[in-house]
Each structure stands twice: as C-alpha cells, then as structure tokens.
Amino acid sequence: MKRPLGAQISHMLKDRGVDTIFGIPGVHNIEMYRGIEEAGITHILARHEQGAGFMADGYARATGKPGVAYVITGPGLTNIMTAMGQAYSDSVPMLVISSCLDETAATRGQLHQMKDQRGAAATVCDWSEEARTAEAAYQLIDRAFLEFQTRRKRPKHVQVPISLLSETAAPPEKPRDSWPNLGNHPHREAEVRELIKASRRPLVILGGGAVETDVFEEALDLIYPIQAAVFETYAGRGIVPTDYPFNFGATLGRPMSKEIVASADLVIAIGTSLDEGDLWRSHLGHKSTLVRIDIEPAVLADRHRADVQVLGDCRWFLSALTKSFADKEQSSDWSADEVAQFRSKARSETDAERPGIVPICDALRECLPEDTLMYSDMTQFAYVAKEVWDMAKPGLWHHPTGFGTLGYALPAAIGGAVALRKLGALEPRTIAIAGDYGFQYTLQELGTAVELGLPLPILIWDNAKLKEIEDSMVASQIAPNAVVARNPDFLALARAYGAHAVQPGTLAELQKATLAALRADRPTLIRMTPDLTA
C-alpha cells in the first residue's frame, strides 16, 4: 500500500518491533506523525526534545530494544543532542529520526535552518546520514537495526527532507525473520586458558558490555571454578552475587583498588572500556598480564595496553573458554577476609567523603523490591549509592556515566516506566534519583509523568547547593563561588504539575513514602534533605 513516506516510516518501525516513539511534533515533521496511530505505535509527548531523548534512552536500557525519537529540524535536533551524546557514551541503542530542510546552500533565513544539521548530529552519535529517497530512508533504518544487534550499541541519526516526507512512497520490504548472527569465531582461548591455570590470584573486571550481551552465566562459569576475585564497574553491578566471598563490588574507582589490582597475577577485563569514570585514575594499576575481551577495537588498543586482546562478543569467547573449567575447581590465594576488610574500608571512606548518605541508601535498599529499576542523575547521592548499594541483579541501575549530563534521571525513568508497562510487568517498579540542581534541568517532564499516570517515586536529594562542586573548589583551595542557587518549593512545584509530594522526617517515613509512591496513581516527588540523618 502506497502512503506518504512519513507514514511509511512509522509502519516500517512497527514491523521491526518498535511499539513506542518519544518526541514532539512540529510544522516540519508532522508528516512523520501521519502514520503513528495507524501503525499501532504509542507516542509519548515529551516537554522538551532533550527529555524525549532521555526517555528513549531509559526505554532502551529497560528493554534492550532501540529507543526511537522523532524531532523537528534545527532546534529539535540540537535539543536532543545532549541525550544522544549520553547514549553514545553509555552504549545505548537509540534511533533519532528528524526532518531537515530540502535545500540550504543557496537559500538563507529559513525556519530552523542550520549550517550543517547532519554534521552537527554526527558529533554525538555513531553516524548521521540524510535520506534523499524513500529507498535510502528504508536502507538506513534497516542498517541501524542490524548494527544495534551486531555491533556496539550506539545512537544513530537519520534525517529526511521535509518535502520527501510528504511524497507518496511504496512500502519498504518486509523485515527478515531474523538478522544473521554474525558472532565471531573464538580465538586465543587456549592461550587464556593456560594463563588462568597458572594463576594463583586471578582478577576479573566486569563492565556494562557483559550486561548488554547477557553473558552473566558464562562469566560466573569462569569466576567460580577458578575462585577469581571480581571488581564490577558501575555499569556491571549485579552480575556477581553479593554473597560471593571474593566480590570487591563497584569499588574500582577507589584509589586503594590500585593496590589490589597490582597484587593480582592475572587480570581479565570483560566488556569494559576502563574509562576515566570507571577508574578515576590514568592507569588500571596492573603489573601482571592483562587480558581484554571487547567488541570494539579502539578499546583493545587504549592506554592500558592489554597483553592479550580478544576482539569479539564476550559470550562467544567465554563459552569456549569455560568448557575447560566446567567440572573442575582450582584454589586461589584470595582471602574472604581480605575482601571484606577492603569493602569495609571503602564504605567508610565513602561515608566520610559525603556524610549522611550511606544510611539513607541502606534504608532504601532494605525496603525496595530487588527488581526495582533505578535511574540516577549526577548527584552526590548517586555517587555514594553506586558504591555501597549492592545490586541483586544486573541491568537495574542506570546512571549517565561518561558524558555525565545533568537532568537525566526523571525523563529516563519515565522511559523505563513506559517500557515496563509495555512489557506487561504486573508491578512496574521504577525510581528516579536526582539532586536539587540537576532535577531542574528537566523538571518539566513531570507533566509527562503525570499525564501517563506513572507510579514513579522521584527522590530529590536537596542539600540546597552544588555540593560536589563546592567540595572540589575547597579541595583545590578555591573560594567556593556560584555553587548556591535559590531553589523553588519542590513540593509545591510537584503539586502544581498534579503530582503527589511529600517530605519524610525520618528514615522510617522515607521507606513508607517510597513504597506508597510505587503503588500510587501518579508520580510522587519525595524531598530528602541532610536532616534525615543529621
């Protein structure tokens, strides 16, 4: 059936498994909205394109499917670019489809005109291309979906000229029953196997790549038999059970972890780029052989200089490697007491650096169901929680690592909550955690959350300042400047949007309020202040 191309694109996305699109309509992209309802896709109206991007990001992290956003020419695209940059940094599959002007070389002063819209988007995503025919649009969309399944997951951008969107077009080809599983042929597993057999203090570092490829069981099938010690990056939390005696947790960013890494006689890094946000130092600290398994060549050739480089999917390599250890167990020189003492000291350091937050984390973790989906912002509360809040399962806590943008938590949590609804979760549990300053970057998305009737607790850590920046200034012997801003009445603001709002006075009241918010008929803003543990 022939339709305008804008409508065909929505039908094509539906055929490829897309059930939700986030975005904002405008005069330049209204043709993209012609086919949304007809195709049976739900559209979530954001209050700002940045929010739409974060919602698509949160949806993708919750489902593993690409998050899709529709935006207009010019400012619509530039507004979503922050979210695209975050998705690129954190390896999140996102497809942004925008309109674009038909011609810009000889005409100036057009509505939403940019010098180079395609090129601007290319700076924050895997690739950015313009479709000048219907067939090109179809090919680019299919290329994006193929790469989401076979390469490192990163955002893509396709722009379509305004006039082309309204032109009648033949439908795209039907999707394939399944994309080819390109995988990889295991290699160097014999070499790594011998290194493991000769090791007495093997150390495994698990990153977000191990979560994305669902490699949990294969990782444990390696770790348990060889009695390896484990560090998880923030993105890799929850892969190894908390009761495993040699689990150092998400403490790799602690300076003293360098000594532990140096004491290992073999280090195996799986699905982690070991970026600045993972280590907070320039070098991992290893003195022994470093084995790295990753899907991206650039990671294997970075400053950490891996001795054994394995390019490919973690699952394929570990499946081949672990066969040798299936029914065997070798002892190691790691001590459960050594690990416990390290974690106790790390917890004390964290509590001393940012006082009062650890008890709140403990109280919340104690009361929340293990499968609660968490989205946090760049805030001191999250910095502490990422270290001391052990996760029972992987892929449940999402944080804007790397790009490190403020304003992520609320819209991303909305995307996650929408995803759980789509997945048919009987009790969808999603929580947003933000600081008082960062929350104000995207607070307007409260309107979307209320509109959707999401039972979403929004935990605001309100210390009435940019405390992390103030602490950094003091540590650098700079007089604190521009770190205090007048805050609104957050409770009144939430109620103005139609949300519930509460400020607990004790940890017990906080637990009660959070559980009630998970059962509410709309979002609930929960204001937390340092007085909770004063």
Side-chain angles (χ1 to χ4, degrees):
M1 178 180 177
K2 289 191 173 182
R3 302 181 178 92
L5 177 59
Q8 294 286 29
I9 287 173
S10 292
H11 282 270
M12 179 183 186
L13 292 172
K14 178 66 174 181
D15 287 344
R16 279 132 183 90
V18 175
D19 54 34
T20 306
I21 291 174
F22 304 88
I24 302 175
V27 292
H28 279 186
N29 71 347
I30 55 174
E31 285 294 338
M32 292 160 60
Y33 282 75
R34 184 185 294 276
I36 290 180
E37 291 187 7
E38 184 184 59
I41 294 176
T42 299
H43 181 271
I44 304 298
L45 176 63
R47 299 317 193 247
H48 188 282
E49 286 90 356
Q50 185 182 49
F54 286 145
M55 290 177 197
D57 175 300
Y59 174 93
R61 297 195 200 209
T63 62
K65 296 164 53 178
V68 179
Y70 281 177
V71 298
I72 62 164
T73 317
L77 180 68
T78 57
N79 284 344
I80 203 173
M81 280 174 57
T82 295
M84 293 168 69
Q86 190 61 62
Y88 183 87
S89 179
D90 287 354
S91 301
V92 177
M94 180 193 300
L95 176 60
V96 176
I97 302 179
S98 75
S99 54
C100 66
L101 295 172
D102 299 311
E103 188 279 321
T104 58
T107 308
R108 292 288 181 267
Q110 300 176 83
L111 179 65
H112 301 329
Q113 186 164 9
M114 293 178 63
K115 292 177 67 176
D116 185 358
Q117 176 174 299
R118 186 208 61 77
T123 63
V124 289
C125 65
D126 194 19
W127 50 258
S128 171
E129 299 291 351
E130 180 175 336
R132 297 180 182 176
T133 65
E135 185 60 31
Y138 301 152
Q139 289 182 9
L140 288 170
I141 291 171
D142 270 343
R143 173 189 169 190
F145 277 83
L146 174 60
E147 291 180 3
F148 287 144
Q149 296 184 43
T150 58
R151 295 172 54 183
R152 185 171 182 177
K153 297 176 181 178
R154 277 178 158 160
K156 330 282 185 183
H157 169 241
V158 177
Q159 63 182 34
V160 185
I162 298 167
S163 62
L164 182 60
L165 286 169
S166 63
E167 290 183 9
T168 301
E173 293 183 5
K174 290 294 181 182
R176 303 180 187 184
D177 292 336
S178 62
W179 290 108
N181 189 344
L182 303 182
N184 67 286
H185 296 288
H187 60 288
R188 305 198 75 172
E189 69 273 12
E191 180 181 357
V192 176
R193 187 183 303 118
E194 293 307 311
L195 288 170
I196 292 173
K197 289 180 178 179
S199 172
R200 297 298 303 171
R201 282 176 70 88
L203 174 65
V204 174
I205 302 174
L206 295 168
V211 176
E212 291 174 9
T213 52
D214 294 334
V215 75
F216 325 136
E217 293 183 4
E218 285 83 355
L220 297 180
D221 287 344
L222 172 66
I223 291 165
Y224 286 165
I226 68 174
Q227 296 290 284
V230 179
F231 278 106
E232 298 166 317
T233 67
Y234 300 134
R237 282 190 301 159
I239 295 178
V240 179
T242 56
D243 59 359
Y244 179 62
F246 307 137
N247 183 3
F248 283 98
T251 56
L252 194 59
R254 289 274 123 203
M256 63 181 181
S257 71
K258 189 173 182 179
E259 298 175 10
I260 298 296
V261 174
S263 74
D265 59 9
L266 174 65
V267 180
I268 304 174
I270 303 173
T272 173
S273 51
L274 298 176
D275 290 331
E276 179 185 38
D278 297 319
L279 305 176
W280 296 116
R281 55 181 181 266
S282 60
H283 190 264
L284 176 60
H286 61 287
K287 296 181 178 178
S288 59
T289 299
L290 173 61
V291 177
R292 298 193 71 175
I293 310 166
D294 205 276
I295 200 169
E296 188 172 29
V299 168
L300 302 180
D302 68 9
R303 67 188 185 281
H304 299 295
R305 303 183 65 82
D307 302 285
V308 180
Q309 303 170 343
V310 180
L311 178 65
D313 186 280
C314 302
R315 177 188 293 277
W316 284 71
F317 185 79
L318 290 178
S319 295
L321 181 63
T322 55
K323 291 176 182 177
S324 303
F325 304 99
D327 300 316
K328 303 175 184 178
E329 184 171 310
Q330 66 182 59
S331 60
S332 74
D333 291 342
W334 294 105
S335 158
D337 288 341
E338 172 186 13
V339 177
Q341 290 175 16
F342 176 95
R343 296 203 62 172
S344 177
K345 184 177 179 182
R347 179 183 171 91
S348 297
E349 285 185 356
T350 302
D351 191 29
E353 290 167 356
R354 303 176 179 101
I357 298 176
V358 169
I360 302 175
C361 291
D362 292 342
L364 288 169
R365 183 174 183 271
E366 178 184 305
C367 75
L368 288 174
E370 288 185 344
D371 60 350
T372 303
L373 196 58
M374 317 286 287
Y375 291 89
S376 57
D377 216 318
M378 300 294 285
T379 170
Q380 285 194 322
F381 190 93
Y383 305 154
V384 172
K386 288 192 301 176
E387 288 194 39
V388 304
W389 193 316
D390 289 326
M391 304 302 295
K393 300 176 183 178
L396 290 176
W397 192 299
H398 302 289
H399 184 78
T401 310
F403 205 50
T405 179
L406 287 164
Y408 173 81
L410 174 59
I414 292 172
V418 168
L420 293 186
R421 274 188 176 177
K422 285 289 184 179
L423 292 172
L426 295 177
E427 296 183 68
R429 304 183 181 101
T430 307
I431 288 181
I433 299 173
D436 57 287
Y437 197 84
F439 173 67
Q440 296 180 72
Y441 274 53
T442 51
L443 65 84
Q444 67 273 13
E445 303 305 342
L446 266 172
T448 300
V450 171
E451 195 169 72
L452 296 172
L454 298 177
L456 176 65
I458 304 165
L459 302 173
I460 305 298
W461 176 244
D462 185 2
N463 54 18
K465 61 176 65 177
L466 288 163
K467 188 66 168 63
E468 188 74 3
I469 308 305
E470 180 183 67
D471 291 348
S472 296
M473 286 181 167
V474 171
S476 301
Q477 296 185 336
I478 299 172
N481 185 24
V483 293
V484 178
R486 179 182 174 84
N487 279 338
D489 182 333
F490 287 115
L491 304 182
L493 182 63
R495 294 185 184 115
Y497 271 99
H500 298 302
V502 63
Q503 181 170 336
T506 66
L507 292 179
E509 290 176 3
L510 173 63
Q511 291 175 320
K512 183 179 178 180
T514 304
L515 291 176
L518 287 171
R519 299 187 295 267
D521 61 346
R522 69 192 76 170
T524 304
L525 188 145
I526 302 173
R527 181 172 179 255
M528 306 180 299
T529 72
D531 290 341
L532 268 175
T533 54

